[in-house]
DNA sequence: TCCCAAATCTGAAACGTTACAGGTAGGCTA
DNA sequence: TAGCCTACCTGTAACGTTTCAGATTTGGGA
């Protein structure tokens, strides 16, 4: 008979005592050492190839499955000694709850879903977001699943899918619109979520946002400080996305305050292909009323902008200044040097993950709203 | 009594007939229209707030749950008429199998896990990989979960977790090593996987790889064609990663063939911070034995390289030429123009996803190995 | 007319977990 | 001593699915 290796004699005895009740062994349907009827008990190694379940622990501890389940989650009706013992066994045999079992019984998935637009990739945004979220989730039982959708498709589609199939406990999504149907839908259905970006629909929900108004304002200010008077902006996607408005608000305010004028940049935005941005920029910079200061809200677009500007025979820093937002540090090393403000998307990911988790835990949405501010790195000053 | 809206009289009658057996209604535990005993049947709308299950369909069709389950997966022992009927009902009420139920019963998770190194982000790699994979999975019942690990941690850790908890049906991972313990472990455990990158351990497994040897070879060739004689390379991560060797093989071969010489680039690689790359590059380019041609295998590193080169007072295209791999199209617009070869990571993601799925389906590993070739975009020629 | 096989269909059990509704033992009060 | 309360533990049922081992029906051959 194998000795009760690490659990001490008491557990062994208790188990034997339980075993003496007739039929228990077969009722528990446990593996036995071949030939005789003595089951493998008391050993602390993960003995069987199969994954341990509550039943395994219950068998080893000589307890009921229910008791084990409760002991593992520190329920008040279980004695402290029992809890300690159960938790020790669980740890030693490497017990991990079966997620399918939990999910089937409770409906809890332990999944957070990141819903992403697969078309509009702003340099480094997706990856940093993913890593930021993972960083937080890795210390929890939650897993991250990614649910992308094409910009041509209905953004509601993945959301509906998740809700209808109950495939996540919480959702993180970006590119919010002022009146965002996803926010309305999820709120109505009581599904916890957090958005990267704000809305303007009177619904309080968790969000994290970069202060694009401040970014645009500061960007224009720094252009004005360099004596630029004719300011243009390559803005966030379509006007339907909320931060487009923030950008324009900050932009207009700074331009007005500085008594400068604006030059419209039509036909292109940060979702446009870099080739088109370059070409259109060349046109714009070749016109007589060309801007002498440009604000850009995407790092990769900025590189294309520069290409267009130079194609028009103009010089950054001389004929025109450029300020850009960046979400990696690549632009820091880009020549000609441009003025950059950093958006820490990884941090945003962390904030969003924390927000959904706390929302799931029942925290009021208003406590889960945060803003982060542009961080200027002007390498030229 | 509600009419059998869309299913025709026969189903209605059949249902009624079934219902007439006493107790069936309560046995099925179905909701009934309040007051009387007539259950809601035959209606094709998703009537109840609750999600339909097999039981719902069974009830509506007047069949057993088992039959419905089988009918939905086209089992041979079910009559064609029944199949059609069941599938129609399922479609109309929007039935979707409960993943937890399936997973608990069969052990199949319908999840593919992408295991990622969260530190070494090569510009655009992660996001494009994610999108490529999703593109393929979106047409299947599979979901994508992302499991990142820090480069400081044991790369085996996430793999072990997935295997031990059975949390995915297949795994996609990158940064393979010639003798990769993950590949060995997964092969031994019979878990389907596909790697981005090859191994050299005599184990046949599905992979997709970019031909880095060809990339390095062609890069050096194009430098030689420009009259460059002293060639250097900023190589892939540590020598422990397989593609490092491929790069060097292609590099050495081309250098030898051209009778050129090499300049070692020590202390930095594509995993190093861009700031260090820039500074180190400035040192290297200030030395007397500086290279006049450089190969770089990461787009973001290339930008830092250029910064270092220019800091040393040298001119790209004049004093030195630079070739870089890129996995987005950003470098296309970068000035000074450098020679670029494209690696289509999104395509790699698609290939990898298809490979795991086919591996799960039992296809031989040797049929699931593919290579993609560098695609030159030299804007200067 | 009867019987057998093929064609369809069926309920029960099981996967691992948690919720529910108890059960038992021991100590305290009356 | 009985009765009751508390502390601790228990078995059963259920979540939705698939598998197993039949059950029923149908049709054809003898």
């Amino acid at each position: 008979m194998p000795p009760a290796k690490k659990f001490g004699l008491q557990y062994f005895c208790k188990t034997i005592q339980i075993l003496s009740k007739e039929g228990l062994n077969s009722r528990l349907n446990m593996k036995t050492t071949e030939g005789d009827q003595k089951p493998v008990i008391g050993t602390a190694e993960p003995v069987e190839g199969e994954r341990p379940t509550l039943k395994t622990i219950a068998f080893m501890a000589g307890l009921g499955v229910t008791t084990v389940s409760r002991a593992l989650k520190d329920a008040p009706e279980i004695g402290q000694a029992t809890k300690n013992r159960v938790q020790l066994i669980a740890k030693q045999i490497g017990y991990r709850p079966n997620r399918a079992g939990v999910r089937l019984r409770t409906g809890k998935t332990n999944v957070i879903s990141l819903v992403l637009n697969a078309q509009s990739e702003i340099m480094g945004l997706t990856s940093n977001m993913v890593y930021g979220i993972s960083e937080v989730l890795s210390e929890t039982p939650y897993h991250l699943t990614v649910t992308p959708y094409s910009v041509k498709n209905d953004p509601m589609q993945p959301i509906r899918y998740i809700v209808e199939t109950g495939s996540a406990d919480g959702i993180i999504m970006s590119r919010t619109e002022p009146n965002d149907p996803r926010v309305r839908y999820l709120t109505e259905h009581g599904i916890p979520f957090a958005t990267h970006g704000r809305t303007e629909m009177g619904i309080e929900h968790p969000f994290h946002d970069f202060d694009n108004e401040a970014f645009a304002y500061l960007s224009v200010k720094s252009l004005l400080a360099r004596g630029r008077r004719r300011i243009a902006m390559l803005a966030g996607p379509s006007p339907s996305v909320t931060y487009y408005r923030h950008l324009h608000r900050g932009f207009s305010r700074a331009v007005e305050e500085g008594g400068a004028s604006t030059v419209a940049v039509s036909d292109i935005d940060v979702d446009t292909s870099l080739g088109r941005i370059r070409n259109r920029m060349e046109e714009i910079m070749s016109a007589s009323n060309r801007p002498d200061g440009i604000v850009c809200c995407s790092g990769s677009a900025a590189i294309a902008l520069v290409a267009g500007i130079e194609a028009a025979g103009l010089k950054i820093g001389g004929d025109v200044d450029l300020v850009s937002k960046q979400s990696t540090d690549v632009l820091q090393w880009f020549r000609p040097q441009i003025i950059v403000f950093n958006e820490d998307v990884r941090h945003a990911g962390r904030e969003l993950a924390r927000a959904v988790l706390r929302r799931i835990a029942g925290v009021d949405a208003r406590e889960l709203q945060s803003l982060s501010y542009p961080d200027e790195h002007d390498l030229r000053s």
Side-chain angles (χ1 to χ4, degrees), chain A:
Chain A
M1 188 168 293
K5 254 192 186 167
K6 293 186 185 163
F7 299 129
L9 196 58
Q10 46 176 337
Y11 309 136
F12 184 63
C13 292
K14 176 100 186 232
T15 310
I16 291 305
Q17 164 200 341
I18 300 288
L19 283 173
S20 64
K21 292 182 191 170
E22 68 163 13
L24 178 109
N25 196 19
S26 71
R27 180 174 59 78
L28 278 177
N29 192 29
M30 296 303 289
K31 296 280 193 318
T32 59
T33 55
E34 54 180 358
D36 64 13
Q37 279 301 308
K38 291 158 204 155
V40 179
I41 57 170
T43 55
E45 293 17 70
V47 265
E48 336 200 11
E50 284 160 36
R51 219 177 128 189
T53 70
L54 288 181
K55 203 150 77 170
T56 315
I57 301 178
F59 176 73
M60 292 178 71
L63 289 169
V65 176
T66 307
T67 310
V68 173
S69 170
R70 295 218 265 236
L72 287 175
K73 44 177 65 64
D74 251 336
E77 57 267 76
I78 305 295
Q80 193 53 51
T82 307
K83 281 184 195 170
N84 293 342
R85 187 154 58 97
V86 167
Q87 284 163 9
L88 179 66
I89 299 180
K91 197 174 166 192
Q92 293 194 321
I93 65 175
Y95 168 77
R96 293 167 187 277
N98 180 311
R99 310 180 119 239
V102 176
R103 179 163 167 182
L104 181 57
R105 177 65 236 232
T106 65
K108 182 150 208 286
T109 62
N110 282 303
V111 162
I112 300 295
S113 196
L114 173 63
V115 177
L116 280 177
N117 182 310
Q119 247 67 50
S120 73
E121 160 68 354
I122 291 177
M123 192 166 62
L125 196 130
T126 300
S127 0
N128 284 314
M129 183 74 88
V130 166
Y131 292 132
I133 296 171
S134 313
E135 231 171 285
V136 171
L137 296 192
S138 68
E139 287 149 21
T140 74
Y142 285 88
H143 286 180
L144 172 65
T145 84
V146 177
T147 312
Y149 66 99
S150 131
V151 82
K152 299 161 209 148
N153 296 347
D154 182 9
M156 277 296 288
Q157 191 250 309
I159 304 289
R160 265 199 226 97
Y161 173 84
I162 293 169
V163 172
E164 283 167 13
T165 62
S167 53
D169 294 338
I171 295 177
I172 297 176
M173 55 199 191
S174 56
R175 289 177 72 94
T176 46
E177 301 177 9
N179 190 337
D180 199 308
R182 302 171 301 172
V183 168
R184 187 174 311 282
Y185 180 82
L186 290 173
T187 305
E188 278 168 5
H189 285 75
I191 312 292
F193 68 95
T195 60
H196 186 217
R198 282 163 281 176
T199 57
E200 301 169 359
M201 48 206 297
I203 294 179
E204 295 293 346
H205 61 86
F207 67 77
H208 178 82
D209 203 357
F210 176 73
D211 191 336
N212 281 289
E213 179 171 348
F215 159 71
Y217 182 84
L218 294 172
S219 297
V220 173
K221 281 291 183 188
S222 68
L223 290 172
L224 295 175
R226 283 172 175 77
R228 304 305 179 180
R229 312 302 301 162
R230 304 180 44 75
I231 317 291
M233 173 166 69
L234 181 71
S238 76
S240 66
V241 173
T242 316
Y243 82 88
Y244 176 93
R245 307 195 181 183
H246 296 143
L247 285 170
H248 279 279
R249 207 182 298 152
F251 182 81
S252 310
R253 190 154 53 87
V255 168
E256 264 174 47
E257 282 179 21
S261 65
T262 68
V263 178
V265 174
S266 55
D267 294 337
I268 51 174
D269 60 49
V270 290
D271 279 358
T272 314
S273 77
L274 298 187
R276 271 204 63 204
I277 291 179
R278 192 213 84 105
N279 293 339
R280 182 78 184 99
M281 208 56 204
E282 185 179 352
E283 286 171 25
I284 292 172
M285 296 312 284
S286 304
S288 57
N289 64 337
R290 61 177 171 79
D292 59 4
I294 307 175
V295 178
C296 173
C297 62
S298 146
S300 37
I303 293 177
L305 281 188
V306 171
I309 292 168
E310 293 186 342
L314 300 177
K315 206 166 162 300
I316 307 280
D319 307 297
V320 57
D321 269 313
L322 178 58
V323 193
S324 179
K325 187 162 82 175
Q326 72 169 353
S327 38
T328 63
D329 60 344
V330 174
L331 284 192
Q332 226 87 56
W333 314 108
F334 177 75
R335 300 305 153 106
Q337 288 181 331
I338 58 185
I339 309 157
V340 294
F341 287 90
N342 287 332
E343 172 177 9
D344 188 343
V345 181
R346 194 155 186 158
H347 172 254
R350 284 192 294 261
E351 287 292 300
L352 287 166
R354 275 193 278 264
V356 213
L357 293 184
R358 298 186 63 200
R359 186 74 190 112
I360 290 173
V363 175
D364 190 281
R366 271 161 298 193
E367 293 176 32
L368 304 172
Q369 305 174 329
S370 60
L371 225 50
S372 70
Y373 296 94
D375 174 21
E376 184 174 13
H377 285 263
D378 183 351
L379 294 180
R380 308 195 306 181
S381 51

